[in-house]
Amino acid sequence: MELMETLQSHGEQTALVHGETTYSYARLVDRIGEYEKLLQESGVQQGDVAALVGDYSFETIAMLLALHLHRCIIVPVTSELQSEQRQRFEEAFCRLAIFMTPQPRIEKLSCGDTHPMIEKLRQARRSGLVLFSSGSTGKPKAMIHDLDRLIAHYENKRGKRLYMLLFLLFDHIGGLNTLLNALFMGAAMVVPPSREPEAVCALIERYKIRVLPSSPTFLNLLLISGMPERFDLSSLRMITYGTEAMPESLLKRLKSAFPKAKLLQTFGTSETGIAATSSKSSESTYMKLDDPNLEHRIVEKELWLRSGTQVMGYLNASMESFTEDGWFKTGDLVEEVGDGYLKIIGRSKEVINVGGEKVLPVEVESLLLQMPEVEDVMVHAAANAITGQSVAADIVPAKPTDAKSLKKAVRRFCKGKLEGYKIPTKVQVVEKTNFGGRFKKMRCE
Amino acid sequence: MNEKIEKIIITVLQELGEELEKESLENPTAQTRLFGGRGVLDSLALVSFVTDLEDAIDEELGQSVVLADERAMSQKTSPFRSVETLRDYIAGLLDG
């Protein structure tokens, strides 16, 4: 069944719970219709590239689907920083931005340029989706998906009436995956007021949430917070985790805290979509990719994927991470452990993974270099037991100073210019940064 | 020793409070809840707090401790519950 037909068939079932308000699927269908009309009346054309700015809400989801039906190319943006928003608008050739606050405010943007891949979608009258991933050159890579094809992948899901938490953000392939799964299953989605353990646990207890899609860092914080003792979380049947490596010790603690829940590793990339996976057991970090839609191979320990839902290409970067015959080099290093099971052992790229949020060292470095106090800087990952990794900066100061005051200055400078997780937690004063023979900064932990 | 550690924790909290412009961190006491249930720190602040505190202990006491490691995470009651529990946990680490 197609998307709208499916949504209609869910009728009065609950689609979304946000704060004290509950919205049915019928209401969602109505709102999508209203927004389609609004788009039309505002002169939004089929094939226009539209940024959709906001976090999950009934309105945002309705607008996302209205844009899809209107055959637009959608660029979801959840960042609240204006500089970051503008950068994304530019990289994706956005003609308009829709700010959901939560009512829509449509702003026309002065972008006269376009891209051959955008034109291709426009001519085929198909909707598109632009996602960003961390490249290695400082700018986030904008990639474009054929959204019709991506959505078709979720059709024919079996209906299931259960409550799911919308934990991952909707500008992220994992978040969209939760959303599309829920819409096709007719599940009830619950929007958390914050992504702090207490708020999340209160909702799990109140709505008897069955599925919690999350990340190892969040699950770690959940255990540290002591909330599982204060709230009844026995409704949880499935906890999925992705976006970063799962430490085995954490998995063990989770299993004993949630004996009834199945712990499942999810795996996906913005480039290829989310794969159906199975974990060897709930105590195991071994997983199997069993998705008829996805082929994989391992080349020099690196996992390569090829899927039916992969991107058309990048709008602002070369296709060097793809081979000519369409394999995507994930940058994830894996080990084959027998019976077709894989174990993720790390990343081959220089990305810092702070609790699943990817940080490019170059981005932080280029900002820090703007500080008068900083002569040179190298940003790298520091091991962190809470978030797996955190951002550390080795700084050659312009004038003699101590690490403590430099750290204060760095944090003050970065506030409001970088998302919180990108701001260095550790600052060290060094005499010179660690350059390799090829004048490439050697980043190590 | 306990007093000294508590003082360090409180100073680090106040400095972090200034940085994050959080009034709830102006006057912490031994009973101040840190993380989880009415705690003053959110997830991101906890990460900064832990690194700041490790640095401060190194600086003030000349001893390096790792506060966020497997051992801390797998305690039955998290050491990050309150200033008091954290103080006792650090004292234990320094003794051992």
Side-chain angles (χ1 to χ4, degrees):
Chain A
M1 259 197 298
E2 283 201 22
L3 180 64
M4 287 311 282
E5 249 182 283
T6 311
L7 298 185
Q8 262 150 5
S9 73
H10 299 325
E12 289 305 317
Q13 273 167 249
T14 299
L16 194 84
V17 181
H18 193 172
E20 292 304 314
T21 318
T22 297
Y23 303 88
S24 68
Y25 273 94
R27 247 178 109 181
L28 181 62
V29 170
D30 287 347
R31 186 57 55 88
I32 295 169
E34 288 163 30
Y35 281 164
E36 255 196 288
K37 218 173 126 209
L38 175 76
L39 291 173
Q40 211 138 35
E41 287 167 358
S42 315
V44 178
Q45 308 276 318
Q46 174 257 322
D48 274 352
V49 183
L52 180 58
V53 189
D55 199 346
Y56 276 125
S57 69
F58 175 69
E59 315 295 336
T60 317
I61 293 170
M63 185 56 90
L64 179 85
L65 298 173
L67 285 165
H68 162 62
L69 293 177
H70 203 63
R71 299 280 166 265
C72 287
I73 291 142
I74 308 162
V75 187
V77 176
T78 54
S79 172
E80 285 172 8
L81 293 179
Q82 233 186 39
S83 56
E84 199 151 317
Q85 291 175 357
R86 298 283 151 186
Q87 187 193 26
R88 300 205 159 188
F89 298 168
E90 267 173 46
E91 297 298 328
F93 304 93
C94 292
R95 288 210 186 148
L96 58 128
I98 306 178
F99 295 88
M100 305 302 290
T101 55
Q103 303 308 320
R105 180 171 60 80
I106 300 180
E107 190 185 311
K108 294 253 155 76
L109 302 170
S110 55
C111 165
D113 237 356
T114 183
H115 188 282
M117 279 184 277
I118 293 173
E119 289 311 306
K120 201 174 153 193
L121 281 176
R122 189 173 287 159
Q123 269 151 30
R125 299 183 62 83
R126 294 174 78 83
S127 72
L129 173 74
V130 177
L131 295 176
F132 290 88
S133 82
S134 35
S136 52
T137 54
K139 260 192 321 200
K141 287 203 228 173
M143 64 190 93
I144 183 163
H145 277 275
D146 178 330
L147 186 56
D148 279 295
R149 197 171 63 187
L150 191 67
I151 288 180
H153 180 62
Y154 293 85
E155 285 169 9
N156 306 318
K157 276 249 158 209
R158 257 189 310 144
K160 259 187 215 159
R161 291 197 192 189
L162 46 79
Y163 280 84
M164 284 171 89
L165 194 83
L166 289 177
F167 182 79
L168 304 167
L169 291 167
F170 90 114
D171 61 352
H172 182 278
I173 190 77
L176 281 168
N177 180 54
T178 314
L179 175 68
L180 291 171
N181 266 319
L183 290 174
F184 278 98
M185 290 186 331
M189 299 171 274
V190 182
V191 181
S194 85
R195 289 171 176 83
E196 293 295 325
E198 188 170 16
V200 169
C201 290
L203 289 177
I204 295 174
E205 178 180 275
R206 180 165 173 195
Y207 294 103
K208 304 201 168 17
I209 289 175
R210 297 257 294 269
V211 185
L212 172 65
S214 63
S215 69
T217 291
F218 174 75
L219 294 169
N220 194 3
L221 287 164
L222 185 78
L223 294 181
I224 301 173
S225 72
M227 290 301 140
E229 293 143 40
R230 277 194 38 208
F231 290 95
D232 177 7
L233 307 181
S234 60
S235 60
L236 283 177
R237 286 292 170 273
M238 195 192 305
I239 300 172
T240 66
Y241 56 90
T243 71
E244 56 177 336
M246 168 63 95
E248 270 163 60
S249 54
L250 172 58
L251 192 59
K252 255 191 218 135
R253 283 188 285 128
L254 285 167
K255 192 58 209 168
S256 67
F258 301 102
K260 281 199 282 179
K262 199 172 152 191
L263 296 159
L264 175 72
Q265 167 134 31
T266 58
F267 187 81
T269 66
S270 312
E271 277 85 354
T272 56
I274 297 287
T277 50
S278 54
S279 290
K280 191 161 188 182
S281 72
S282 286
E283 288 94 347
S284 169
T285 54
Y286 296 173
M287 57 149 195
K288 197 181 251 177
L289 296 168
D290 39 16
D291 193 327
N293 179 44
L294 184 84
E295 301 167 85
H296 77 274
R297 61 200 261 201
I298 298 163
V299 181
E300 285 165 10
K301 282 197 170 174
E302 187 183 21
L303 180 65
W304 289 17
L305 299 174
R306 190 161 66 178
S307 84
T309 50
Q310 70 195 23
V311 283
M312 301 168 64
Y314 298 103
L315 296 176
N316 61 354
S318 76
M319 292 291 281
E320 62 185 358
S321 46
F322 282 87
T323 66
E324 263 179 31
D325 47 351
W327 287 94
F328 173 61
K329 305 176 207 168
T330 62
D332 287 304
L333 302 176
V334 296
E335 231 169 51
E336 230 164 340
V337 288
D339 292 341
Y341 283 99
L342 303 175
K343 181 183 164 68
I344 300 175
I345 50 182
R347 296 273 307 165
S348 67
K349 294 175 187 167
E350 282 181 346
V351 177
I352 307 172
N353 193 331
V354 185
E357 301 276 11
K358 314 292 194 305
V359 182
L360 280 177
V362 216
E363 184 191 352
V364 181
E365 280 168 5
S366 64
L367 181 72
L368 293 183
L369 283 172
Q370 293 170 23
M371 293 176 64
E373 296 92 329
V374 173
E375 176 80 34
D376 193 11
V377 58
M378 187 181 64
V379 166
H380 57 97
N384 184 293
I386 301 175
T387 51
Q389 294 188 322
S390 69
V391 178
D394 291 352
I395 295 179
V396 183
K399 279 191 301 219
T401 179
D402 61 289
K404 199 174 162 190
S405 38
L406 194 58
K407 179 165 73 182
K408 266 194 179 167
V410 164
R411 294 219 191 129
R412 201 175 312 124
F413 187 78
C414 293
K415 209 179 156 192
K417 299 190 185 81
L418 284 178
E419 300 280 353
Y421 63 89
K422 293 181 182 168
I423 298 177
T425 51
K426 254 192 154 81
V427 172
Q428 284 191 68
V429 173
V430 293
E431 272 173 35
K432 60 182 178 56
T433 50
N434 195 5
F435 283 98
R438 301 170 63 185
F439 293 96
K440 198 172 167 191
K441 285 181 182 174
M442 309 275 286
R443 296 173 224 279
C444 49
E445 278 189 17
Chain B
M1 192 54 152
N2 273 13
E3 230 170 90
K4 228 174 179 175
I5 299 170
E6 189 174 307
K7 226 175 125 198
I8 297 174
I9 298 175
I10 287 179
T11 315
V12 170
L13 274 176
Q14 282 168 331
E15 283 176 3
L16 188 68
E18 251 170 64
E19 201 181 291
L20 302 173
E21 291 160 28
K22 267 198 184 164
E23 277 173 31
S24 53
L25 288 178
E26 259 171 39
N27 294 304
T29 66
Q31 280 72 43
T32 298
R33 312 268 299 180
L34 293 176
F35 184 70
R38 295 182 308 280
V40 286
L41 301 172
D42 63 15
S43 306
L44 263 181
L46 177 68
V47 177
S48 295
F49 170 66
V50 168
T51 17
D52 289 359
L53 188 58
E54 285 172 353
D55 287 350
I57 290 172
D58 192 12
E59 225 168 89
E60 305 283 326
L61 304 175
Q63 295 204 52
S64 74
V65 287
V66 182
L67 292 176
D69 61 1
E70 274 313 314
R71 183 166 157 196
M73 299 300 150
S74 49
Q75 300 282 310
K76 195 122 192 68
T77 315
S78 155
F80 304 108
R81 211 56 69 80
S82 70
V83 172
E84 232 166 358
T85 56
L86 186 56
R87 176 198 69 200
D88 296 345
Y89 180 72
I90 296 173
L93 282 183
L94 294 177
D95 274 349

